[in-house]
Amino acid sequence: MSFHSIFKAAAIAGLVATSSMTSASAADLTVGANIGNVPWEFQDETGKTVGFEVDLATEVADRLGKTIAFENIPFNGLFSAVQSGRIDMAVSSITITKKRLESVSFAQPYYDSDQSLTVAASSGLKSVDDMNGKVIGVDTGSTGDIWATENSDKYGFAEIRRYEGLAPAMLDLTAGRIDGYVSDIPALLYYTKDKPNLAVVERITTGEQYSMMFAKDAELATQVNDVLTELKKEGYISGLHEKWFGAQPEETTSTVSILEMPKL
């Protein structure tokens, strides 16, 4: 499958992507997602919304006896969307942080991650230490954005340019309009594996864990947390990891381990 075609399809898709032909207004569970976030939620060449978190959220909804629809929302808009009740929950490789827990709730995590630096393979850039005077791209409001902002003076970035998703950032990186892109390492390793012109040159250790996000203290968060416990016990989430990343997860990761709901 050509991921150039996937991102072309994603770029021209409408604002609402649905699962099982259920409209957002008719569904029991409306899930916000930044569609185009490979391999978590994106559109395949037929326009169908697919991905690790699409599979997981769909299974969660099924276990709860609910129909589900996905609404395409830029990453930074997911937070206000759950807080306002516009959507019931959000996915998009969302990192649990203490700051975010002040205003939203999360179910237990299901994926451990870090940030990464991706550059043009021909650039000669090997690490963030080489980015002095260079332009860095990030996703607006993401943990990559937070990391780059906090470390801008340390590494001497000339500019931090913000994007609404991976696809437009990759276009600018390929065209030379930015020098590097800081984002979640699993997405970038997945995206660049068949693109020799791009290279993930450094893992930036941040110790992140992903989960589903809800309005603060929402009852649904507890219900979903209980379902995730059952899915971990059954090995369902480990199976998704093998499907989307081609390998079984380590036993010590949150993909396998049953954990408590995050609290402040």
Side-chain angles (χ1 to χ4, degrees):
M1 179 185 301
S2 166
F3 281 94
H4 174 78
S5 299
I6 288 174
F7 280 96
K8 182 178 179 181
I12 62 174
L15 288 179
V16 177
T18 60
S19 173
S20 303
M21 301 302 289
T22 304
S23 70
S25 60
D28 299 321
L29 190 66
T30 303
V31 180
N34 181 25
I35 308 298
N37 180 32
V38 175
W40 306 102
E41 40 275 319
F42 61 100
Q43 289 184 322
D44 65 16
E45 291 175 323
T46 70
K48 181 182 178 181
T49 302
V50 298
F52 183 111
E53 288 177 316
V54 172
D55 286 348
L56 181 56
T58 301
E59 182 66 20
V60 166
D62 186 62
R63 298 293 179 104
L64 292 173
K66 297 178 181 291
T67 56
I68 188 172
F70 292 90
E71 183 172 348
N72 190 7
I73 299 173
F75 183 84
N76 207 37
L78 293 172
F79 301 87
S80 60
V82 292
Q83 290 170 316
S84 67
R86 173 183 167 187
I87 58 176
D88 300 303
M89 73 180 192
V91 295
S92 279
S93 54
I94 306 173
T95 300
I96 303 163
T97 69
K98 289 184 178 180
K99 181 66 174 176
R100 289 172 178 172
L101 283 168
E102 293 175 3
S103 56
V104 296
S105 289
F106 288 92
Q108 63 179 290
Y110 47 74
Y111 191 86
D112 299 345
S113 183
D114 289 309
Q115 293 296 295
S116 63
L117 174 65
T118 302
V119 300
S122 61
S123 68
L125 301 170
K126 300 298 183 184
S127 72
V128 292
D129 291 325
D130 297 332
M131 301 306 291
N132 184 30
K134 305 296 185 181
V135 179
I136 288 283
V138 298
D139 297 323
T140 304
S142 67
T143 45
D145 187 353
I146 294 168
W147 180 89
T149 301
E150 291 177 347
N151 289 276
S152 182
D153 291 340
K154 177 180 179 180
Y155 293 107
F157 303 145
E159 181 186 350
I160 299 172
R161 205 164 290 175
R162 293 172 172 84
Y163 295 88
E164 301 303 330
L166 185 149
M170 289 296 98
L171 289 174
D172 275 8
L173 181 61
T174 302
R177 289 186 286 268
I178 60 175
D179 300 295
Y181 176 57
V182 173
S183 191
D184 301 337
I185 194 166
L188 270 301
L189 289 173
Y190 192 87
Y191 179 80
T192 61
K193 66 181 181 180
D194 61 348
K195 297 176 178 62
N197 60 313
L198 298 172
V200 179
V201 294
E202 184 173 1
R203 176 185 288 267
I204 302 170
T205 303
T206 50
E208 298 173 51
Q209 293 184 312
Y210 301 159
S211 191
M212 299 173 178
M213 183 172 68
F214 307 83
K216 185 70 173 174
D217 299 324
E219 181 181 356
L220 180 62
T222 301
Q223 295 171 350
V224 170
N225 188 78
D226 291 343
V227 173
L228 291 177
T229 293
E230 292 304 312
L231 294 178
K232 287 182 181 183
K233 287 179 179 178
E234 295 172 15
Y236 178 85
I237 306 179
S238 295
L240 287 184
H241 190 284
E242 185 167 20
K243 172 183 176 179
W244 289 103
F245 294 103
Q248 279 287 318
E250 295 178 1
E251 293 295 321
T252 55
T253 66
S254 64
T255 305
V256 178
S257 301
I258 296 169
L259 302 170
E260 294 183 356
M261 285 185 65
K263 306 290 184 183
L264 277 173

